[in-house]
Amino acid sequence: MAKRRSTQANNNNNNSNNAPEEKIGGWQTDDYIEKLVTIKRTAKVVKGGSRFNFSAIVVVGDGKGRVGYGLGKAKEVPESIRKATEKARKSMMEIPIKDGRTIFHQMIGHYGAGGVILRPAVEGTGIIAGGSMRPIFEALGIRDILAKSTGTSNPHNLIKATFDALKAIRSPREVAAKRDLPLDRFGIA
């Protein structure tokens, strides 16, 4: 009995070290920063056993204010990551960034049961964000931000809520142009 337990302990240790699909990672290709947010395995029970599919969420950004996300589903992990990366590159959008490091103003975003609160931060604060929001800010090129997720911790809803908040951010130049006001009223020379 003791021998069997030690063998199971060794197998568990080996499995925990060889579980790359659970880790959050990132890589950089041709001027784009690609971050893997999550990988999920789904099982469909059929007559002969179970069939497994994988879904991956990837965030792609250029580190200069453009970012997008994508969901890919396939029977293999690399294929699902590839599909998610393609969708993320197609869905990239421009987000205004203040001084190349933070956002212009506080914003709240919602999607489903997920909500996020984004606040600009002073220089040197870093990215204070949890869960699925951190890869978005890293790929976007934001270095200082305070973010809080409210409601669900589901990565799908958190990413969509974060993008909902980011889409609503406006720079002072955009607001001044829309309202036909001079820029000096917004503190811009």
Side-chain angles (χ1 to χ4, degrees):
M1 199 87 166
K3 209 174 217 181
R4 182 179 287 167
R5 283 189 185 157
S6 65
T7 306
Q8 286 176 347
N10 289 340
N11 289 341
N12 289 342
N13 289 342
N14 290 341
N15 290 341
S16 65
N17 292 338
N18 297 331
E21 62 263 14
E22 296 297 324
K23 294 182 180 176
I24 295 176
W27 60 98
Q28 188 165 359
T29 58
D30 57 291
D31 299 332
Y32 287 117
I33 301 165
E34 300 174 351
K35 298 277 185 180
L36 178 63
V37 179
T38 185
I39 296 180
K40 294 275 185 167
R41 185 181 80 168
T42 59
K44 178 181 179 182
V45 179
V46 292
K47 185 177 177 183
S50 297
R51 288 191 182 160
F52 297 109
N53 284 331
F54 297 92
S55 67
I57 301 175
V58 173
V59 174
V60 176
D62 64 356
K64 299 171 191 160
R66 293 190 66 219
V67 70
Y69 73 95
L71 170 67
K73 297 179 180 181
K75 295 191 184 298
E76 300 291 329
V77 174
E79 184 66 14
S80 66
I81 293 173
R82 185 190 62 77
K83 286 182 180 180
T85 305
E86 283 180 12
K87 287 182 184 176
R89 286 181 185 223
K90 288 179 185 175
S91 73
M92 287 181 79
M93 63 184 72
E94 191 80 30
I95 308 294
I97 298 177
K98 180 181 179 184
D99 302 330
R101 60 169 191 82
T102 190
I103 58 178
F104 280 100
H105 54 84
Q106 179 174 333
M107 209 58 239
I108 297 173
H110 296 284
Y111 185 85
V116 296
I117 302 167
L118 308 180
R119 293 186 181 140
V122 297
E123 193 165 1
T125 303
I127 299 174
I128 299 177
S132 308
M133 295 184 289
R134 179 177 289 273
I136 295 172
F137 301 134
E138 290 172 352
L140 185 56
I142 291 178
R143 296 191 312 268
D144 302 306
I145 192 165
L146 303 170
K148 176 69 181 165
S149 64
T150 59
T152 185
S153 61
N154 180 350
H156 297 270
N157 289 347
L158 274 184
I159 285 176
K160 291 175 184 174
T162 305
F163 272 87
D164 179 53
L166 289 173
K167 279 188 233 175
I169 292 176
R170 300 285 175 253
S171 71
R173 291 186 192 281
E174 290 177 56
V175 175
K178 189 172 184 180
R179 296 181 188 174
D180 292 328
L181 295 172
L183 287 175
D184 59 354
R185 186 156 179 203
F186 292 92
I188 300 173

